[in-house]
């Protein structure tokens, strides 16, 4: 992964998934898989997880969100992963949660559509089991933050005050705990 060629990582992990007889569009495709590969459940699970990560690494890279892929891997490759898989999943979720704010800010530059940005962030949160409440909070926080005017931004969506107001009102209704609305 040192070359940051996440597309290749995704392709290789997808080959692993198909080799184990998983996720195929044709039933006959699994019939061609050797019996020994069909029993590689753990390997298939690892390939699925790696494929999901690689997909999101590609997206994060596209939007120029700085991230460290090793922080995703450390949660599953650490020696304690067999001892406490829940704690390791929580480490990955915690790291993924730290990327939601930057993902929202960076993707807003390209999309200039708050609904698309929110959907992207919610999908990211879902992929890494991050509480969706955090997405709503970060999205509202971003929309209420001071917009930046520069040549690289091509118009910040936060300058559309009426759109922001209606989206923030809608989003605030989705935050379950009123106390969290101030966070």
């Amino acid at each position: 992964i040192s070359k940051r060629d996440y597309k290749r990582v995704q392709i290789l992990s997808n080959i692993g998934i198909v080799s184990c007889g998983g996720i195929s569009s044709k039933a006959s495709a699994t019939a061609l898989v050797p019996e020994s590969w069909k029993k590689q459940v753990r390997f298939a699970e690892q390939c699925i997880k790696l494929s999901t990560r690689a997909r999101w690494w590609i997206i994060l890279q596209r939007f120029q969100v700085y991230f460290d892929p090793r922080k995703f891997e450390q949660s599953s490759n650490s020696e304690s992963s067999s001892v406490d898989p829940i704690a390791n999943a929580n480490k990955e979720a915690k790291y993924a949660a730290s990327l939601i704010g930057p993902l929202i800010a960076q993707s807003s530059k390209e999309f200039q559509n708050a609904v698309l940005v929110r959907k992207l962030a919610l999908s990211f949160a879902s992929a890494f089991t991050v509480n969706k409440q955090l997405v709503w909070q970060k999205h509202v926080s971003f929309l209420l933050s001071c917009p930046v005017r520069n040549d690289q931004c091509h118009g910040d969506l936060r300058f559309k005050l009426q759109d922001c107001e209606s989206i923030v009102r809608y989003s605030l209704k989705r935050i379950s705990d009123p106390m969290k609305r101030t966070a």
Side-chain angles (χ1 to χ4, degrees), residues 35-54:
E35 278 299 313
S36 59
W37 277 96
K38 288 182 183 177
K39 296 178 183 177
Q40 298 298 322
V41 176
R42 178 103 166 102
F43 178 69
E45 289 170 354
Q46 291 171 337
C47 288
I48 290 168
K49 185 171 238 168
L50 183 59
S51 178
T52 299
R53 288 176 179 161

Side-chain angles (χ1 to χ4, degrees), residues 2 6 8-9 16-17 21 31 39 49 65 74 83 86 95 109 126 128 135 137 151 155:
S2 63
Y6 304 122
R8 179 175 286 165
V9 172
I17 294 167
K39 296 178 183 177
K49 185 171 238 168
V65 174
Q74 285 174 347
V83 176
I86 294 171
Y95 182 65
K109 293 177 182 177
S126 178
F128 295 103
V135 173
Q137 292 169 18
D151 294 337

Side-chain angles (χ1 to χ4, degrees), residues 15 25 48 55 61 75 77 81 95 100 105 129 134 138 142 147 152-153 155 165-166 173 176:
I15 290 170
S25 58
I48 290 168
R55 176 179 171 264
Q61 190 177 46
S75 63
N77 291 343
S81 65
Y95 182 65
I100 289 176
T129 62
L134 181 65
K138 295 286 186 181
F142 171 76
Q152 295 176 341
C153 211
E165 181 182 5
S166 64
K173 291 176 185 174
S176 61

Side-chain angles (χ1 to χ4, degrees), residues 11 17 49 52 64 80 85-86 88 106 124 131 144-145 178 182:
I11 289 168
I17 294 167
K49 185 171 238 168
T52 299
Q64 299 175 348
S80 64
I86 294 171
N88 290 316
Q106 292 298 103
F124 179 79
N131 187 334
L144 295 177
S145 66
T182 60

Side-chain angles (χ1 to χ4, degrees), residues 30-163:
T30 57
L32 300 174
V33 177
E35 278 299 313
S36 59
W37 277 96
K38 288 182 183 177
K39 296 178 183 177
Q40 298 298 322
V41 176
R42 178 103 166 102
F43 178 69
E45 289 170 354
Q46 291 171 337
C47 288
I48 290 168
K49 185 171 238 168
L50 183 59
S51 178
T52 299
R53 288 176 179 161
R55 176 179 171 264
W56 282 105
W57 294 342
I58 292 165
I59 292 169
L60 292 171
Q61 190 177 46
R62 174 181 171 214
F63 290 116
Q64 299 175 348
V65 174
Y66 173 77
F67 67 100
D68 183 357
R70 291 175 293 185
K71 293 204 177 181
F72 288 96
E73 295 170 347
Q74 285 174 347
S75 63
S76 61
N77 291 343
S78 66
E79 291 177 14
S80 64
S81 65
S82 60
V83 176
D84 192 358
I86 294 171
N88 290 316
N90 288 340
K91 285 180 190 176
E92 182 176 68
K94 194 179 250 185
Y95 182 65
S98 73
L99 298 174
I100 289 176
L103 178 61
I104 289 171
Q106 292 298 103
S107 62
S108 292
K109 293 177 182 177
E110 183 174 323
F111 287 150
Q112 297 180 13
N113 180 318
V115 175
L116 288 176
V117 170
R118 185 183 63 234
K119 285 181 179 180
L120 177 69
L122 285 168
S123 181
F124 179 79
S126 178
F128 295 103
T129 62
V130 174
N131 187 334
K132 291 181 182 188
Q133 292 291 307
L134 181 65
V135 173
W136 293 102
Q137 292 169 18
K138 295 286 186 181
H139 194 238
V140 166
S141 178
F142 171 76
L143 290 172
L144 295 177
S145 66
C146 184
V148 177
R149 210 186 272 271
N150 65 23
D151 294 337
Q152 295 176 341
C153 211
H154 304 300
D156 194 315
L157 63 92
R158 294 170 289 180
F159 282 115
K160 301 172 187 170
L161 295 180
Q162 285 183 325
D163 292 346

